[in-house]
Every structure is written in structure tokens, then in C-alpha cells.
Amino acid sequence: QGPGGHAGNHGGAGNSDTSSANSSSGTHGGHANFRGGGEVDHARNGFDPHEILRDFDWGRTRRLPSGRVLREWTLVAGDQDIEVAPGVTFPAWSYNGRIPGPTLRCREGERLRIRFENLSQHPHTIHFHGIHTAEMDGVPGIGAGEIAPGSSTVYEFDAEPAGLHLYHCHVRPLAEHIAKGMYGAFIVDPKEGREDADEMVMVMNGFDTNFDRANELYAANTIPFAYMNRPIAVRRNELVRVYIVNILEYDLINSFHLHGNFFDYFPTGTSLRPSELTDTVMLCQGQRGIAEWRFPSPGKYMFHAHQSEFTELGWQGFFEVG
Amino acid sequence: QGPGGHAGNHGGAGNSDTSSANSSSGTHGGHANFRGGGEVDHARNGFDPHEILRDFDWGRTRRLPSGRVLREWTLVAGDQDIEVAPGVTFPAWSYNGRIPGPTLRCREGERLRIRFENLSQHPHTIHFHGIHTAEMDGVPGIGAGEIAPGSSTVYEFDAEPAGLHLYHCHVRPLAEHIAKGMYGAFIVDPKEGREDADEMVMVMNGFDTNFDRANELYAANTIPFAYMNRPIAVRRNELVRVYIVNILEYDLINSFHLHGNFFDYFPTGTSLRPSELTDTVMLCQGQRGIAEWRFPSPGKYMFHAHQSEFTELGWQGFFEVG
Amino acid sequence: QGPGGHAGNHGGAGNSDTSSANSSSGTHGGHANFRGGGEVDHARNGFDPHEILRDFDWGRTRRLPSGRVLREWTLVAGDQDIEVAPGVTFPAWSYNGRIPGPTLRCREGERLRIRFENLSQHPHTIHFHGIHTAEMDGVPGIGAGEIAPGSSTVYEFDAEPAGLHLYHCHVRPLAEHIAKGMYGAFIVDPKEGREDADEMVMVMNGFDTNFDRANELYAANTIPFAYMNRPIAVRRNELVRVYIVNILEYDLINSFHLHGNFFDYFPTGTSLRPSELTDTVMLCQGQRGIAEWRFPSPGKYMFHAHQSEFTELGWQGFFEVG
Ligand SMILES: [Cu+2]
Ligand SMILES: [Cu+2]
Ligand SMILES: [Cu+2]
Ligand SMILES: [Cu+2]
Ligand SMILES: [Cu+2]
Ligand SMILES: [Cu+2]
Ligand code: NA
Ligand code: NA
Ligand code: NA
Ligand code: NA
Ligand code: NA
Ligand code: NA
Ligand SMILES: [Zn+2]
Ligand SMILES: [Zn+2]
Ligand SMILES: [Zn+2]
Ligand SMILES: [Zn+2]
Ligand SMILES: [Zn+2]
Ligand SMILES: [Zn+2]
Ligand SMILES: [Zn+2]
Ligand SMILES: [Zn+2]
Ligand SMILES: [Zn+2]
């Protein structure tokens, strides 16, 4: 089958491959088509959404005299042009040269130390969602406050509570410092651990490429259609665990919808009991949750926002079950 | 009482009947008034929201050699002008000549077979929320993919999981194929059944009558104010169960608010334990949930979105408790 | 530290005090700056957000012949110009001369009687979220219906269910009567009571100061930045309980985010078991919930909407832990 018998005006819809999404630019919708013109140069960007997906940064650890684990990372802020869609360059601000920044991962109860160096031309901070003192909160005017270009600071606190959290810059204008790309996932594993799984992180974001405070591009892990162009390979019957964080700026909500399957959902990841068995969850900025499921059957299964606009502008992908 | 003593500019607000909603067009708000000019011609539309409300389509069943139940439906896509408000015609696409499409209902564990014929001038699919193989997912490029005008296919899968789900076309542009009217509710009864109740389905939707990717009309089950003009009759102390599905396109969220009463809410309907006792729930597109309550007292009780704009543009109704 | 080394265009960002929020007007964002020009005249407004925060109106009580408690209040609607930001006057409609109206508080199972007098130039009602008969619902056309200027009525019902609710005017245009300021919190304490705590109410709202059906100002309890300019003093390790109500008009959602700490969240307050441990909750208009936590460490902790625009336009504050 296909649209061959259709005499309508659907543009490139004759393409039988799903990756022709959004090809009917101008005809039915009102948005430009960022697909079809090749792929983003991940090497030049310095990061690849497929690597970010399963890249958990455990930092370096050593024992404190008390016997407790001290876990340390260094995060460096920088100014960086990235190709967010084929031929579309965005003047980003990033942590460690990637968007989203590194997925910081640790275990409940450890002592965490994050050295922050600002090599950007703009003042920045790291604000963590989590429990910590005011001095370590990464907001302007308190503790180290805004970290000037060329300056650095150290954030230190305990890893609590167990769950899925996030970090982001808190310098004003807030919308700009977030929309520019300064955020990442922060995972605190519960003491008892979680069941073995094929784990992934998806930071749902978007880009305002023309600076009108509205997004032209949407994605999980920055690059629109990255997981459509190359599906995420997973194994049948293996537990899949996706750490979902919404940091999308300008749009009031975002969502995650899985095709053909249902997942247990753990909002904020703070409880070991799921709140719901569903296929669609909605999050505002700063919300996050853990989704767990197994694919009983092989094949390609879509996942995407259940906001058609976000989907069509890049926030969609495939799991390919082998 | 009434606004008789008020020298202000409230337009038709002197009307003591609640059905004069939105009558102060132009004065306080910025929206045209679609009320007051009579009622939609339900017979010409070929469907009536009052019939859709309690119309559950159980299809036809037979026993498979294994003893299991096979449940079958035929869904036909078509192009159809409908009167969405008095004098306002909308060039819709529909399943089985109605919007929302038939409420497909079955029991957990049955085998389901849906024959889909496309008599529309446009390619379409049926994508079900539920557990099924990739081939049966109703997305372009996989399995039967897009079903061309004049073509047909069969979707087949098991009825799982128990809960309240939905189906909709997944042809691109997604926003258009949804906004045109191609969706319906899909109920999988749990094996143990649910308590006897006065059951209803409300598919929350809207219409973009001027094609600017924003809605001018909002409703449950398509026709604005239908349950204001003629309240839904229910019995005192009887259990009411409403299957609420949000498929609204263009607006990021929708909601259901009940007046004077509280309901148990079962998100996605997948658990038999309610998540909350409340009077207001919010859903993004694709989310759905079951609300249950009893009216202890007679009278007319409003229900509506708790977004004033949606309410005023049609998404409001009455329960009349006898 | 500070932005001293930064040669950029951040306007007043050299100010090391956090209360310089939103000072970079025009440069990075697109919004006017309502800060910096002094403070609102709370005395002239007739209410202060710091007083509203912990002001619970228990009304007057007496025993009915049956031995049951009758609890009574009088609410008066009026037209009132208020200074919503320094130098910005808004022609509001209010209950009892304040926005939000009084936080009505009672105990589950009591009989409640609310006398309503309309001294405004416009018709109004009080619609309560809660369980009551249709006649007492405060909607046009039913029971007393719209209360004309100079008229009055009495609403009477039982205090149920236990939880956090709200009340608001239900006269059309709904959006206007809400946006003008006609709302307040309504708390029904459970029979068994709640644990002792430092209790507060935050009614999340906003103001459309140029009447274009979009907000220029956001706040908890009406006055933008009120709890930034003067932080909310709380005690270390004491239980804090915040009754959070979202009544924001025009924007589809709102949220509450707490810095450096996590709270137990009780949606609608109807269950004594929290649904989630988190630091961010999202609410649509009419939704509400109770947040409980203790601050283990001294210092200043921000709270705000996790929608950057709302934050920057006033919906942010500090807890100062002594
Ligand atoms: Cu077409
Ligand atoms: Cu920054
Ligand atoms: Cu008026
Ligand atoms: Cu279609
Ligand atoms: Cu700058
Ligand atoms: Cu009013
Ligand atoms: Na833009
Ligand atoms: Na957009
Ligand atoms: Na429109
Ligand atoms: Na609209
Ligand atoms: Na405005
Ligand atoms: Na706004
Ligand atoms: Zn789906
Ligand atoms: Zn889909
Ligand atoms: Zn945050
Ligand atoms: Zn209500
Ligand atoms: Zn209402
Ligand atoms: Zn869907
Ligand atoms: Zn935070
Ligand atoms: Zn913050
Ligand atoms: Zn309400």
C-alpha cells in the first residue's frame, strides 16, 4: 500500500519510508521541513545522540576517611555552535561540549563534588534538583552565585534523594540560559539498586533557531529525528528502562508516548512502586520520570511526544526490537 | 436574581438560562459566539452526541478453534462535511461516518480483528494505543503502512492491557489527520469486569474551523454545548462511570471538571485502584482516564474543561440528576 | 563571584543580589521589567501577600440544635483598583477587598454557611469546588444564579470532602471574572486533623494588565516578587505545609518548584498518603495540592514556577530558613 492512489497534495508522501516525516511542507502544515537534506555532522558537533543515550557518567570515586564514597566530576561551560538540524547552526551554551550535558550518576548516600569551570563568555551556574544546602544551590546571589567567565567553583552535597533528577544553569534570563542548552540528567541510584536493564536517558528539549521565544525544532537528546534515521536497537523481552527528563523551554508541556507497548511509570523516580501503567505521560519543564517495559515482539516501534507539532518537528524515534 | 441591576455591557447576560453561555461576544472576550442561532442538525450529520455518549460497539464475536473469542469490527474511513456548530460546516475525515469514531469495546484476552476500508480521498491508517506487534501498529512504512484511497487492510492483535485506550489515524501531517476527526475510544474491560454503572464515553476534541492551527470550537463528543442544550440524564445514587479521552489537537492540554461532586479517577484505566479523589483532572493529547462517582442530590450539575476559553467555546455540559 | 568579568550585554546583572531578577529587560528577553522601581503599596491595596500567606479564615461558629457545628462567613464582592506591580494599577474585582479572597477553613462534616453580598457594579457568584447541591453551586441560571449588584444570597452545604479546594466566581465571561481576581482557597481539614506544621497558602495567579488575554505578571498571592523582596521566614526542621492552588487564567498550566529540598505531595489533599516525593508539580487551572517538607539546613531557598517566563515575570520567592 501507499498513497499512490491519492491525487491530493501531500508533497513527498509517496515516500514509503517513515523517515519522510514532515515532508509535506507548506501544503497541510505551516512549518519548514528540516528533514530530507542529509544528516547532522555528529563528529563536528562533538557528540552523537546515540552515544548520549546510554552514556552514564559515574565520575571518579575515592574513599573519604569516614569510609564513605566521594564521587567527583568536572563540568566545563562553553560557547559552542552546534548543527541542530542539517544545515541549521545554533549558537549554543553547553556543559562539557555536549547537549544535554553529561548524565551524572551516583548512588544514594555518597558525597558528591562537582567542580565547575566557566570557559563561556557569559556567567553561568549549575543548579541541581536534589537536596542540598542553599550555598550549593547554584543560584545568583547565594553562595558562589553567578560564576563569571574564566572563574570556577565547587558544588558539594550528599546524593539524595534516590531518583531521577536534573541540573541546569540558573542565571537570568532563565529562559535563555536553559534554551541555549545548559542542562543534563542527574541520576541517584537507590541503595538497593534497580533491576538489571537496558538503560537509556532521554532529555526532551527543543531549539528556538530564530530567537522568537518559540521552538522550531524538538527532540530527545537534541538532534531531531536522530532515532528515526537510526533506530535504537533493543532486545526482545529484555527490560528497558528510560530515564525521561523534560527541560523543553518556551512550550508549557512535553510528553512521551510509546507505540504498541505499555510501561510502568515512576514519577521523579523516587518510589520503587510505579504510579501508573500507561503509554503516555505528560511533563512540564523540570519534571522527569522513569519508564520500564519489555518488548514481547520484534519490529520497529515508534516513540514520540503526543503533541503532533513536536513530533513533526523532530521529537520522534524508533525502537528496533531484534 | 439576575443581572438586572447591572448597568454594564454584558450583552445578552440578562438571559437567566445557563445556556446563554458566551453571549457577551465582543464585549469582554475576543471570540465569536457560536451559540444562540439554533442547534446543529444531528440527523444530517448522521450522528448525535447524545447517542455517541452511551454507544459502545462490541462488534461481532465467534469462537476460535482454541475456544478463545475472536471479536471483529469493520471501520470505514470517509470524507464528510459536518455541521460542528449551527451554520458552521467543517470538512471532516471520519471513521464510520461519525466523530468520534465508534467506541470499540472488548474484554481482556480476546483476539481482536479490525477490518479497515479507506473510502476517503486521502491515505489513512488506524493506530491503536494498546499492546500489539509492529506490523499491526498502523503507522506509515511498517506493515500495511498507509492505506491508499480505495484500499483496505486488517489489524489484528490481543485485547491488552485492560484499560481505557484510543485509536487514531497516524498519517502525516499528524496534526491534520487528527484534527480532521479520525479518532475514537477503545475500551478493554478487565477480565473480572467492573461494577455495574451508568457508563458514558467523552472524547474531548475541538475544531479548527478557519485552518489557522488553533481551535475555534471545543467539545466532548464533537458538538459544542450539546450537553448544555440537552443535559445528560442520570439517576441519583447510581454509579456513573465516564470514559474520558483527550484527543484535542493544537492545544497542549485539556481537562475535565465536575461541579458539586468528586470522582475517583483511574488514569489510563489500567489499575482497579483509583489514583485520586478529585473534581478536576488534566490530560494531554493521547491521555485518558476513567471517572466514577454517584450524585447524592438531584439537580443540574455542570461539567466542563477548567480552561475558560475551552468552556466558553463549547466544552461544557450538564448532568441532570432525577 | 559575579558577572564582573563578562563583557556581554546582561544589563543590570552586575547586581549581586538575587532580587535583581529580570533586570536585563530588552536585551535577552522580550518582556518589560516590572522590578527595580520600588515596591507595591500594600497598605493602599488593603492586603499584603505576607499576611495572606498564613491567614486562615475560620469564620464564626455556633452549635446547631443537633450538636453539629455551623460555621459562617460573609463574603463581599467589590470593584477595586489594586497596584499589582510598582506603578501598575489593575482594575480588579475582589472578595472581601483582597486577592486572593479569604482562605476559608473548616473541619470535615461541619455545616457551612456563606453569606454573599455583591457590592460590585457587576453580577457575580461564588462557585465552590466541593460536594453540594445544584442550588448551592453558584452558577448562572440555577438556584440563586447570578447575584446582581446590590443583591445578596446565602450558600449552604456540608464541609466535604476533606482536602484542599477553591472557590471562584462563575459568571460569564468566565475568563474575565476569574482573571479579575475573584477566587480564593477553601480548606476542609480531615476529621483526624493533620500533623502540626507551619502552614501557608499560595494561590498561583497572574494579571493581564493590557487586556490582550495574556498575562504580563505572575505570582503566588497576587504581588510579583513579594517573597523575593521579603523572604518567607521558616524554621529549620519544622514541618512546612503549603496549600497550593492554581487559578491562573489564560495560561494552560502552572507549577510549583522547590529548591534544594523535596516535598511529599497530596493532590487535591483528599488522601492522607502522598502520591509522590518530588520537587516539581504541575497544575492546570482548578487543580491544587498540599506540599509538605522540612528544611534540614539554614539559608535562602528559592521556590517558583518551572516555567521560566512565569518565574521571570514575578512567580518566584524565597524561604529563609533560620
Ligand atoms: Cu490530502
Ligand atoms: Cu547560564
Ligand atoms: Cu461587566
Ligand atoms: Cu488520516
Ligand atoms: Cu550574555
Ligand atoms: Cu464575577
Ligand atoms: Na523560534
Ligand atoms: Na513550536
Ligand atoms: Na482556527
Ligand atoms: Na482556541
Ligand atoms: Na496581557
Ligand atoms: Na505571559
Ligand atoms: Zn500510539
Ligand atoms: Zn504515534
Ligand atoms: Zn530546575
Ligand atoms: Zn467547579
Ligand atoms: Zn465550572
Ligand atoms: Zn496516539
Ligand atoms: Zn531547582
Ligand atoms: Zn529555580
Ligand atoms: Zn473551578
Side-chain angles (χ1 to χ4, degrees):
Chain A
Q1 272 106 340
H6 172 50
N9 53 4
H10 285 86
N15 195 327
S16 68
D17 188 318
T18 320
S19 63
S20 66
N22 204 31
S23 60
S24 56
S25 62
T27 326
H28 289 280
H31 288 281
N33 178 8
F34 286 104
R35 298 202 73 193
E39 214 184 326
V40 153
D41 188 337
H42 301 300
R44 195 173 51 193
N45 276 347
F47 62 88
D48 185 318
H50 277 273
E51 288 161 21
I52 282 176
L53 187 72
R54 290 185 176 103
D55 182 14
F56 299 94
D57 186 341
W58 291 91
R60 304 168 306 285
T61 61
R62 56 189 170 91
R63 291 273 165 191
L64 293 169
S66 65
R68 206 174 159 199
V69 169
L70 173 72
R71 194 175 291 275
E72 297 178 283
W73 297 268
T74 297
L75 261 68
V76 179
D79 303 338
Q80 177 182 12
D81 281 358
I82 64 168
E83 191 184 14
V84 286
V88 180
T89 299
F90 179 80
W93 299 340
S94 67
Y95 293 116
N96 288 8
R98 44 173 276 181
I99 300 174
T103 298
L104 305 182
R105 188 155 182 183
C106 60
R107 292 195 185 87
E108 190 183 0
E110 293 173 339
R111 187 68 176 171
L112 308 182
R113 188 176 290 164
I114 302 99
R115 181 177 161 79
F116 175 50
E117 297 179 25
N118 186 5
L119 300 186
S120 161
Q121 296 298 103
H122 305 267
H124 299 295
T125 71
I126 311 178
H127 163 68
F128 283 85
H129 285 222
I131 299 177
H132 49 251
T133 61
E135 287 72 25
M136 296 298 155
D137 195 39
V139 299
I142 298 182
E146 297 189 4
I147 307 306
S151 295
S152 67
T153 194
V154 174
Y155 300 107
E156 188 173 323
F157 43 80
D158 296 337
E160 60 172 339
L164 169 59
H165 313 311
L166 64 152
Y167 62 88
H168 57 82
C169 180
H170 213 289
V171 169
R172 283 175 291 262
L174 255 183
E176 183 186 32
H177 282 252
I178 291 175
K180 281 286 202 172
M182 308 202 73
Y183 43 74
F186 170 43
I187 301 173
V188 179
D189 281 356
K191 273 181 178 138
E192 59 273 47
R194 296 188 193 270
E195 192 182 345
D196 270 355
D198 182 3
E199 297 195 320
M200 309 168 201
V201 63
M202 294 192 190
V203 177
M204 306 191 295
N205 57 358
F207 292 92
D208 169 15
T209 59
N210 61 359
F211 313 108
D212 67 347
R213 299 176 76 91
N215 296 302
E216 283 73 47
L217 295 173
Y218 296 83
N221 299 333
T222 300
I223 307 299
F225 304 108
Y227 308 119
M228 289 298 280
N229 296 333
R230 185 151 63 93
I232 299 171
V234 292
R235 277 180 295 273
R236 191 175 165 184
N237 292 327
E238 185 172 5
L239 183 65
V240 171
R241 177 178 300 125
V242 184
Y243 295 89
I244 302 166
V245 175
N246 180 38
I247 193 63
L248 185 65
E249 186 53 67
Y250 303 124
D251 291 287
L252 291 176
I253 63 127
N254 206 335
S255 64
F256 177 89
H257 167 57
L258 175 65
H259 274 226
N261 294 272
F262 274 59
F263 52 83
D264 280 322
Y265 189 65
F266 304 80
T268 318
T270 46
S271 169
L272 296 177
R273 289 188 37 223
S275 68
E276 188 181 354
L277 175 69
T278 189
D279 61 8
T280 308
V281 288
M282 165 172 43
L283 302 91
C284 77
Q285 191 188 65
Q287 287 190 306
R288 61 279 184 192
I290 301 173
E292 291 186 355
W293 74 96
R294 296 170 198 272
F295 286 99
S297 306
K300 284 169 72 179
Y301 298 89
M302 289 191 76
F303 61 95
H304 58 84
H306 218 302
Q307 285 64 55
S308 305
E309 183 193 18
F310 303 176
T311 308
E312 291 170 352
L313 296 175
W315 176 188
Q316 56 178 281
F318 272 123
F319 290 104
E320 181 145 28
V321 184
Chain B
Q1 271 105 343
H6 171 49
N9 53 4
H10 285 86
N15 196 327
S16 70
D17 187 317
T18 318
S19 63
S20 66
N22 203 31
S23 58
S24 56
S25 63
T27 326
H28 288 279
H31 289 281
N33 179 7
F34 286 104
R35 299 203 71 195
E39 214 183 327
V40 152
D41 187 338
H42 302 299
R44 195 172 52 192
N45 276 346
F47 62 89
D48 184 317
H50 277 275
E51 287 162 21
I52 282 176
L53 187 72
R54 290 185 174 103
D55 181 15
F56 299 94
D57 186 341
W58 291 90
R60 305 169 305 285
T61 61
R62 56 191 171 92
R63 290 274 166 189
L64 293 170
S66 65
R68 207 175 158 198
V69 168
L70 173 72
R71 193 175 293 274
E72 296 178 284
W73 296 270
T74 296
L75 261 67
V76 180
D79 303 337
Q80 177 182 13
D81 282 356
I82 63 167
E83 190 183 16
V84 286
V88 180
T89 299
F90 180 79
W93 300 340
S94 66
Y95 293 116
N96 287 7
R98 42 173 275 180
I99 300 175
T103 297
L104 305 184
R105 188 154 184 185
C106 60
R107 293 196 184 86
E108 191 183 1
E110 294 174 339
R111 186 69 176 170
L112 307 183
R113 189 176 287 165
I114 303 97
R115 182 178 161 78
F116 175 50
E117 297 178 25
N118 185 4
L119 300 186
S120 161
Q121 296 297 103
H122 305 267
H124 299 295
T125 71
I126 311 178
H127 164 67
F128 282 85
H129 285 222
I131 300 177
H132 49 252
T133 62
E135 287 73 25
M136 295 299 157
D137 196 38
V139 298
I142 297 182
E146 296 189 2
I147 307 306
S151 295
S152 67
T153 193
V154 174
Y155 300 107
E156 188 172 324
F157 44 80
D158 295 338
E160 59 172 339
L164 170 58
H165 312 312
L166 65 152
Y167 62 88
H168 57 84
C169 181
H170 213 290
V171 168
R172 282 176 293 262
L174 255 182
E176 183 186 31
H177 283 252
I178 292 174
K180 282 286 205 172
M182 307 201 72
Y183 44 73
F186 170 44
I187 301 172
V188 179
D189 280 355
K191 273 182 177 135
E192 60 273 47
R194 297 188 191 271
E195 193 181 343
D196 270 355
D198 181 3
E199 296 196 320
M200 310 169 199
V201 63
M202 295 192 190
V203 177
M204 305 191 295
N205 57 357
F207 292 92
D208 170 15
T209 58
N210 61 358
F211 313 109
D212 67 348
R213 299 174 77 92
N215 296 303
E216 283 72 49
L217 296 173
Y218 296 83
N221 299 332
T222 299
I223 305 300
F225 305 107
Y227 308 119
M228 289 296 281
N229 295 333
R230 185 149 64 94
I232 299 171
V234 292
R235 276 181 295 274
R236 192 175 166 186
N237 293 325
E238 184 171 7
L239 183 64
V240 171
R241 176 178 298 126
V242 184
Y243 294 90
I244 302 166
V245 175
N246 180 37
I247 193 63
L248 185 64
E249 186 52 68
Y250 304 123
D251 290 286
L252 290 176
I253 63 126
N254 205 336
S255 65
F256 176 90
H257 167 57
L258 175 65
H259 274 226
N261 295 273
F262 274 58
F263 51 83
D264 280 322
Y265 188 64
F266 305 80
T268 317
T270 46
S271 170
L272 295 178
R273 289 188 35 222
S275 67
E276 190 180 352
L277 175 69
T278 189
D279 59 10
T280 308
V281 289
M282 165 173 44
L283 301 92
C284 77
Q285 190 189 66
Q287 287 191 307
R288 63 276 185 192
I290 301 173
E292 291 185 355
W293 74 94
R294 296 170 199 272
F295 287 98
S297 306
K300 282 169 74 179
Y301 297 90
M302 288 191 76
F303 61 96
H304 58 83
H306 217 301
Q307 285 64 53
S308 305
E309 183 192 17
F310 304 177
T311 308
E312 292 170 352
L313 295 175
W315 176 189
Q316 57 178 279
F318 272 123
F319 290 105
E320 181 145 27
V321 184
Chain C
Q1 271 106 341
H6 171 52
N9 53 5
H10 286 87
N15 196 328
S16 69
D17 188 318
T18 318
S19 63
S20 65
N22 203 32
S23 58
S24 57
S25 63
T27 326
H28 290 277
H31 288 282
N33 178 7
F34 285 105
R35 299 201 72 194
E39 215 184 327
V40 152
D41 188 338
H42 302 300
R44 195 174 50 193
N45 276 346
F47 62 89
D48 185 318
H50 277 275
E51 288 163 21
I52 282 176
L53 187 72
R54 291 186 174 100
D55 181 15
F56 300 94
D57 187 342
W58 291 90
R60 304 169 306 285
T61 62
R62 55 188 172 94
R63 292 273 167 192
L64 293 170
S66 65
R68 208 174 156 199
V69 169
L70 173 72
R71 193 175 292 275
E72 296 178 282
W73 297 269
T74 297
L75 262 66
V76 180
D79 302 338
Q80 177 181 14
D81 281 356
I82 63 167
E83 191 183 15
V84 285
V88 181
T89 299
F90 179 79
W93 299 340
S94 66
Y95 292 116
N96 288 8
R98 44 172 276 181
I99 300 174
T103 297
L104 306 183
R105 188 155 183 183
C106 60
R107 292 197 185 84
E108 191 183 0
E110 294 173 340
R111 187 69 176 171
L112 308 182
R113 189 176 289 165
I114 303 98
R115 180 178 162 79
F116 176 50
E117 298 178 25
N118 186 4
L119 299 187
S120 162
Q121 296 298 103
H122 305 267
H124 298 296
T125 71
I126 311 178
H127 163 68
F128 283 84
H129 284 223
I131 299 178
H132 49 252
T133 62
E135 287 72 25
M136 295 298 157
D137 196 38
V139 297
I142 298 183
E146 297 189 3
I147 307 306
S151 296
S152 67
T153 192
V154 174
Y155 301 106
E156 189 172 325
F157 43 81
D158 295 338
E160 59 170 339
L164 170 58
H165 313 312
L166 64 152
Y167 62 89
H168 56 84
C169 181
H170 212 289
V171 168
R172 281 175 293 261
L174 254 183
E176 183 186 31
H177 281 253
I178 292 175
K180 282 285 204 175
M182 307 202 72
Y183 43 74
F186 170 44
I187 301 173
V188 179
D189 280 355
K191 274 183 176 136
E192 59 273 47
R194 297 188 192 270
E195 194 183 342
D196 269 355
D198 182 3
E199 296 195 320
M200 309 169 200
V201 64
M202 294 194 190
V203 177
M204 306 191 295
N205 56 357
F207 291 92
D208 170 15
T209 58
N210 62 358
F211 313 108
D212 66 348
R213 298 175 76 91
N215 296 302
E216 283 73 47
L217 295 173
Y218 296 83
N221 298 335
T222 300
I223 306 299
F225 305 107
Y227 307 119
M228 289 297 281
N229 295 334
R230 187 150 63 95
I232 299 170
V234 292
R235 277 180 294 273
R236 192 175 167 186
N237 292 326
E238 185 172 6
L239 184 64
V240 172
R241 177 177 298 126
V242 184
Y243 294 90
I244 303 166
V245 174
N246 181 37
I247 193 63
L248 185 64
E249 185 53 67
Y250 304 123
D251 291 287
L252 291 176
I253 62 130
N254 206 336
S255 65
F256 176 90
H257 167 57
L258 175 65
H259 274 226
N261 294 273
F262 274 59
F263 52 81
D264 280 321
Y265 189 64
F266 305 79
T268 318
T270 46
S271 170
L272 296 178
R273 288 188 37 223
S275 67
E276 190 180 352
L277 175 69
T278 190
D279 60 9
T280 309
V281 289
M282 165 172 44
L283 302 92
C284 77
Q285 190 188 66
Q287 287 191 306
R288 63 276 185 193
I290 301 173
E292 291 185 355
W293 75 94
R294 295 170 198 271
F295 287 99
S297 306
K300 283 169 73 180
Y301 297 89
M302 289 191 75
F303 61 95
H304 58 84
H306 217 302
Q307 285 65 54
S308 304
E309 183 192 17
F310 303 177
T311 308
E312 292 171 353
L313 296 175
W315 176 186
Q316 56 178 281
F318 273 122
F319 289 105
E320 181 145 27
V321 184

